[in-house]
Amino acid sequence: MTLNGTPEWDVVIIGAGPAGMAAALYTGRAKLKTLLLDRAGMGGGQLMNTELIEDYPAIKSITGADMATAFEEQIREFGVEVTWGEVIGFEARGNRRIVRTDDGTEYLTKTVIVSTGGLPRKLDVPGEQEFAGRGVSYCAICDGAFFKNQVLAVVGGGDSAVEEATFLTRYGEKVYIIHRRDEWRAQKLLQERALANPKIAPVWNSVVEEIGGENKVEWLRVRDVTTGEEVRLEVGGVFIYVGFMPNSEIFGPEFPKDPQGFVMTDDKMETPLPGLYVVGDVRSQYVRQISNAVGDATTAAVAATRYIEELDATDDTDEAESAERVAIEY
């Protein structure tokens, strides 16, 4: 089958982060004709914003950029084609799927694996962008060990903020939790643990107005929202947990999402549209780490392989029956 003269793919993968490239590795090894599409012009996704990765099994330490490069080199060895384009939607056409990009290109495929990820919600204050990777972080598990014996700050009041602040006390000598209200929104158990920790200092009714320093984060300008008073907190790093936004805009209302907009799937990573799978950070799940993104991708790739096998068997049967009917007619 072709679309506008272009042969079809077995698998089109949308998003070249860890989940997308892991899925491509498995489908490439399965000898499936695989296309990996990404809008960024380079592979890696959030890996490219990560200085060091030291929590991936069997790899003691690797930079995010080096991991992304290794991923891409590996998948190309198995014949995966990588190209760049902004996917704006997809549709079912019979038992095939059409993936459309913003330049008008359409890709015909048997299956689709979506790994568009998401982005941490930003504070949008002076210094945040300038000090990204130099004291500004959005992942305590990833970066906490780089801040041993320093005073740190966490911004937020939900489960992630309070839980990660507690985690950071393993490394920091003191951890401020800056929250705009007079109580956290986190689960009571998490709140109790944090309040009982002598290293944690809540900063209530406050917002960060500026992040400053010379070559790295050295201080925060914090404003009390009730009095308007501003103070300067001397810190070596700030971890921002004010939300995570999934890149799920290409999913219409026919795809179920959780209240935060993350796409819901079954245990095969499949959506209500057969042959369309969702993996990684854009999927509704409990943990968002490289290791479970790779696990999602493995499941989806194996499920897609089985789906294609069944689809090909059906296509062969249909072709045989069609040929038999033609023979009878003649």
Side-chain angles (χ1 to χ4, degrees):
M1 187 179 296
T2 62
L3 175 68
N4 299 325
T6 303
E8 71 177 0
W9 297 87
D10 289 318
V11 187
V12 171
I13 299 170
I14 305 171
M21 290 195 282
L25 174 63
Y26 273 81
T27 59
R29 287 174 60 90
K31 304 293 185 182
L32 298 176
K33 186 179 180 183
T34 301
L35 175 68
L36 179 60
L37 273 169
D38 194 87
R39 68 180 180 180
M42 62 180 180
Q46 289 298 308
L47 287 177
M48 305 307 293
N49 298 323
T50 305
E51 176 63 23
L52 279 177
I53 297 160
E54 297 182 320
D55 57 358
Y56 194 83
I59 299 177
K60 289 185 177 180
S61 181
I62 187 172
T63 68
D66 284 347
M67 177 175 274
T69 299
F71 258 133
E72 187 169 339
E73 290 175 350
Q74 188 177 27
I75 63 176
R76 288 184 184 274
E77 289 179 6
F78 291 98
V80 174
E81 185 171 329
V82 182
T83 192
W84 315 110
E86 177 81 23
V87 174
I88 58 174
F90 34 74
E91 66 181 61
R93 190 170 298 178
N95 59 7
R96 297 301 194 265
R97 308 289 169 254
I98 306 297
V99 176
R100 299 190 307 275
T101 59
D102 61 355
D103 63 0
T105 304
E106 293 187 336
Y107 298 94
L108 177 68
T109 181
K110 297 173 182 175
T111 61
V112 180
I113 299 176
V114 181
S115 58
T116 47
L119 295 170
R121 195 179 298 276
K122 304 294 180 65
L123 290 176
D124 291 326
V125 299
E128 181 178 15
Q129 182 175 344
E130 293 84 345
F131 291 105
R134 292 186 293 136
V136 172
S137 175
Y138 304 88
C139 180
I141 295 175
C142 307
D143 300 330
F146 299 112
F147 296 89
K148 292 180 179 178
N149 303 318
Q150 297 188 47
V151 177
L152 305 173
V154 170
V155 183
D159 286 355
S160 294
V162 175
E163 193 168 25
E164 298 308 303
T166 301
F167 174 82
L168 285 170
T169 61
R170 303 182 186 188
Y171 306 106
E173 65 178 38
K174 183 177 184 178
V175 180
Y176 294 109
I177 302 182
I178 303 168
H179 187 48
R180 63 169 53 247
R181 298 179 178 85
D182 59 1
E183 63 178 357
W184 297 322
R185 295 175 290 104
Q187 299 175 47
K188 291 299 182 183
L189 179 61
L190 298 178
Q191 293 190 40
E192 290 170 0
R193 289 175 180 170
L195 291 171
N197 191 316
K199 288 188 174 183
I200 289 180
V203 181
W204 305 114
N205 301 309
S206 297
V207 294
V208 174
E209 295 286 358
E210 184 180 5
I211 301 170
E214 291 295 327
N215 297 315
K216 60 183 182 63
V217 171
E218 295 175 351
W219 51 265
L220 304 177
R221 180 164 59 87
V222 178
R223 176 174 60 86
D224 187 306
V225 297
T226 59
T227 66
E229 180 185 358
E230 293 189 353
V231 297
R232 178 162 156 159
L233 298 180
E234 306 293 329
V235 301
V238 55
F239 294 78
I240 299 169
Y241 289 95
V242 293
F244 185 83
M245 301 178 295
N247 292 325
S248 57
E249 301 86 358
I250 59 175
F251 292 93
E254 67 273 25
F255 295 94
K257 300 176 184 177
D258 68 16
Q260 288 73 46
F262 295 92
V263 182
M264 301 177 72
T265 71
D266 64 13
D267 60 355
K268 294 189 297 183
M269 310 297 140
E270 195 168 25
T271 67
L273 179 59
L276 194 148
Y277 306 86
V278 176
V279 300
D281 285 352
V282 73
R283 190 175 77 85
S284 180
Q285 56 183 304
Y286 183 63
V287 178
R288 292 184 175 87
Q289 292 286 297
I290 298 171
S291 53
N292 70 288
V294 169
D296 281 3
T298 303
T299 299
V302 172
T305 302
R306 301 290 179 263
Y307 179 89
I308 291 168
E309 290 171 353
E310 294 175 5
L311 185 63
D312 288 346
T314 301
D315 287 346
D316 290 343
T317 299
D318 291 344
E319 289 178 6
E321 290 177 350
S322 177
E324 185 177 353
R325 284 196 299 270
V326 171
I328 290 174
E329 290 173 0
Y330 280 95

